[in-house]
Amino acid sequence: MTERASASPHTVAANDRLANRLPWSDESDFERARKGMIAQHAGPILNERPGGLVGVSWDTDNFAFIQGDAPPSVNPSLWRQAKLNAEHGLFEVRDGVYQVRGYDTAVVSFIATSSGWLVIDPLTTTETARAAKTLVDTHLGVRDVVAVAYTHSHIDHYGGILGIVDQERIDSGKCIVIAPDGFLHAAVSENVVAQAAMGRRATWQYGMTLPWGEHGHVDQGLSKAVPFGSSVLIAPTHVITQNFERMVIDGLVTEFQLAPDTEAPAEMHLWFPELRALCIAENCTATMHNVLTLRGALVRDALTWTRSLDDAIARYADEIDVLFASHGWPFWGRGDALTHLRNHRDLYRWMHDEAMRLANMGHTPDEIADSIELPPGLWADWTCHGYYGTVSHNVRAVYQRYFGFYDGHPASLNPYPPVESARRYVEFMGGIDTLMSNARKAFDAGDYRWVAQVMRHAVFAEPNNTAARELQASAFEQLAYQAESGPWRDIYLTGAKELREGTPPMDYPVRPSAASIGGMTPLQVFDYLAVRLDGSTAINFGHHHLAWHLTDTGDVIDLEISNGTLHSRIPSTPRTGGLSATIHCSRSDLNRLVVAEVSFAGSVENGSVRIDGSTELVTSLWNAFTTFKMFFPIIEP
Ligand SMILES: [Zn+2]
């Protein structure tokens, strides 16, 4: 294990300065996070792994150390949030509305219908969702799940559905699965096409390789941690396409407010007029959220986001009694619910408008990020603080949404890549020794931001220089100890860890599950394969038309290989002439092939894949699909 430095005097002073500005007298969030607790899950939540092994999906003991005052190595505001997110159990929100919180990154809500449950957001994994369901069954009685609603397209809101309801009930229509318009496309493109890089970056954002502790992971800001276990993507059986569409779900009147292009590309809020309760999905939680999540995803639209909250206020302000979300705790009473909605509405508009005002005055992302702070009214609201998103990276994201990567400066058009520029910087800085000695002075003066920035060049120029790596690691560590944002802390600490221990040597393949592939349309599957196609190999294939015939569904997908790219379409009349090959297999076999549960050559051999025409071309095409690996280097070339 690496040594972890204690907080430096500069860090202690920075955390003290912050602590003196925080609104400590407002303790209402602690009351909210504990209100209505019925029962708690005892012990860890286990999962079964291949080979009869048993793993741990979730363990509340992991965060039992978060007690008392903040240690010097944790930002005091983040420590407070870490305590709040550590509250766990089955809670009554109001009569007929229950939540299970603190056993997964997300919160699952159970709304009583006449004879059963509408379950909103069935968590990330089967295991954590099953534990939540068991808690509900034990303390509220066993009732049928008549509907599941996914509020949005992120895996922590749909991946655990099989822990709540079995596939058979969904297939038979006894349980409908409701999602907002565009859900499937967004779920697939966010979590499959970008899966490998997003997964690696997510391990940083969520501190997934860090130990728990006051020198390690304490909180994600939004919730405690990511659970381990099995996740699936089961397609919705009822898609909400009309804003404010109403449905009666087994006697429960439910109104759906569509909120596309907010926290997720496909998102919706649920209003229960008889209960006077609003589920605001993930658009208004107990933290500032991300306009751009650091794991990577399409940049979000802060303007649509603030508008969706304003629309909710306009429509429900007169009737709302309780506001709940899919992370964090509820807000009771019309006054508090509205204050919460208004503050978060103001928060996203503030970041959007201030960033764009400055951009229109000629300021660039680094300048904008350094000059916008929360207004006092929002600073006084703990839940507006940057525990998850930060003002800094959110206002950069606003700029990105409108202007992209290019800051408008000619020198940014064509910069050298990191290693090339690092070598030149180090030389211009007078060589590695001079650079290091200056960087050490900056470190001693507490200018960790600068040390982190310049030492990037040192490490990329000399990745084997352990002193350089250690100096950058030490700077990251102090920045982590000062960070109010859980993800910033985890990212800095993961950087320090990988600088000291090296990029993890595990290079296992990253693939979606066969079930996830099964939830995709055929064209989405081929778009995913096209991303995996190694263009430099495929340019040698020449120009070809292929047909892929899915024997069980009857779909015929026309494929075209052209200039090293792969195109797919489903034509009204399948092409018959000019085909280099036709491939026949079932859709489920295709799913298994894509995720390498079965090999292509083996499938051809045993006949589950049949090829008319050039077997050689099809085999070469299949072999040219890149296998993405986990743990590519980040802090070193
Ligand atoms: Zn979520």
Side-chain angles (χ1 to χ4, degrees), residues 436-453:
M436 293 272 294
S437 124
N438 284 326
R440 277 203 186 92
K441 279 180 211 151
F443 184 91
D444 292 340
D447 194 355
Y448 307 123
R449 251 175 110 180
W450 180 239
V451 177
Q453 204 172 329

Side-chain angles (χ1 to χ4, degrees), residues 63-116:
F63 43 86
F65 71 94
I66 301 168
Q67 303 277 346
D69 291 340
S73 59
V74 182
N75 176 295
S77 182
L78 177 61
W79 186 256
R80 174 188 171 278
Q81 183 80 349
K83 284 186 189 169
L84 287 161
N85 282 334
E87 298 291 337
H88 61 91
L90 164 64
F91 298 85
E92 183 179 53
V93 176
R94 57 148 291 159
D95 200 22
V97 179
Y98 303 87
Q99 289 193 310
V100 179
R101 304 198 293 263
Y103 303 111
D104 189 290
T105 188
V107 166
V108 54
S109 306
F110 291 78
I111 321 296
T113 62
S114 295
S115 66

Side-chain angles (χ1 to χ4, degrees), residues 426-469:
V426 171
E427 193 191 332
F428 270 45
M429 287 168 169
I432 192 81
D433 294 337
T434 311
L435 188 171
M436 293 272 294
S437 124
N438 284 326
R440 277 203 186 92
K441 279 180 211 151
F443 184 91
D444 292 340
D447 194 355
Y448 307 123
R449 251 175 110 180
W450 180 239
V451 177
Q453 204 172 329
V454 294
M455 290 311 293
R456 177 179 188 161
H457 299 306
V459 173
F460 271 71
E462 296 192 11
N464 297 321
N465 186 323
T466 37
R469 292 174 77 113

Side-chain angles (χ1 to χ4, degrees), residues 1-8 73 207 209-217 470 473-474 476-478 480-481 489-501:
M1 211 47 230
T2 51
E3 281 189 30
R4 293 189 183 273
S6 50
S8 73
S73 59
T209 63
L210 298 175
W212 287 86
E214 63 180 60
H215 294 100
H217 177 77
E470 177 53 39
S474 300
F476 282 167
E477 207 161 49
Q478 297 302 322
Y481 297 164
R489 176 184 173 91
D490 284 344
I491 286 169
Y492 282 131
L493 288 178
T494 307
K497 178 181 163 77
E498 294 196 8
L499 281 161
R500 287 175 177 143
E501 299 173 9

Side-chain angles (χ1 to χ4, degrees), residues 105-106 152 154 156-157 222 263 282 289 326-327 388:
T105 188
H152 64 288
H154 294 151
D156 51 322
H157 304 271
L222 183 69
E263 185 266 336
E282 200 166 326
H289 211 291
S326 295
H327 294 271
Y388 194 41

Side-chain angles (χ1 to χ4, degrees), residues 70-262:
S73 59
V74 182
N75 176 295
S77 182
L78 177 61
W79 186 256
R80 174 188 171 278
Q81 183 80 349
K83 284 186 189 169
L84 287 161
N85 282 334
E87 298 291 337
H88 61 91
L90 164 64
F91 298 85
E92 183 179 53
V93 176
R94 57 148 291 159
D95 200 22
V97 179
Y98 303 87
Q99 289 193 310
V100 179
R101 304 198 293 263
Y103 303 111
D104 189 290
T105 188
V107 166
V108 54
S109 306
F110 291 78
I111 321 296
T113 62
S114 295
S115 66
W117 294 119
L118 159 67
V119 177
I120 305 175
D121 288 351
L123 303 177
T124 317
T125 69
T126 311
E127 292 81 359
T128 50
R130 187 176 291 133
K133 179 69 166 44
T134 305
L135 206 50
V136 167
D137 288 349
T138 309
H139 298 279
L140 302 175
V142 180
R143 296 159 68 94
D144 285 336
V145 175
V146 298
V148 172
Y150 304 143
T151 60
H152 64 288
S153 49
H154 294 151
I155 193 166
D156 51 322
H157 304 271
Y158 65 79
I161 185 168
L162 292 182
I164 297 286
V165 62
D166 55 39
Q167 180 84 55
E168 205 182 11
R169 239 186 115 70
I170 299 168
D171 292 345
S172 68
K174 288 180 185 147
C175 172
I176 54 169
V177 180
I178 309 164
D181 200 21
F183 169 87
L184 195 58
H185 179 82
V188 167
S189 64
E190 281 216 12
N191 298 309
V192 177
V193 170
Q195 185 199 27
M198 199 184 285
R200 170 75 166 126
R201 292 164 59 130
T203 62
W204 284 57
Q205 174 178 346
Y206 298 126
M208 287 158 75
T209 63
L210 298 175
W212 287 86
E214 63 180 60
H215 294 100
H217 177 77
V218 297
D219 201 80
Q220 290 175 347
L222 183 69
S223 47
K224 291 316 301 177
V226 174
F228 294 95
S230 16
S231 301
V232 295
L233 171 56
I234 289 183
T237 58
H238 183 95
V239 175
I240 304 296
T241 56
Q242 299 298 315
N243 197 19
F244 302 125
E245 185 173 328
R246 278 198 178 200
M247 269 176 89
V248 180
I249 304 167
D250 183 29
L252 175 72
V253 180
T254 309
E255 177 171 297
F256 299 89
Q257 183 200 350
L258 286 174
D261 290 319
T262 53

Side-chain angles (χ1 to χ4, degrees), residues 352-364 368 398-399 402-403:
H352 175 272
D353 291 357
E354 280 294 292
M356 292 312 295
R357 190 176 65 82
L358 292 176
N360 278 309
M361 290 164 69
H363 296 282
T364 54
I368 293 171
V398 171
Y399 186 99
Y402 286 88
F403 302 104

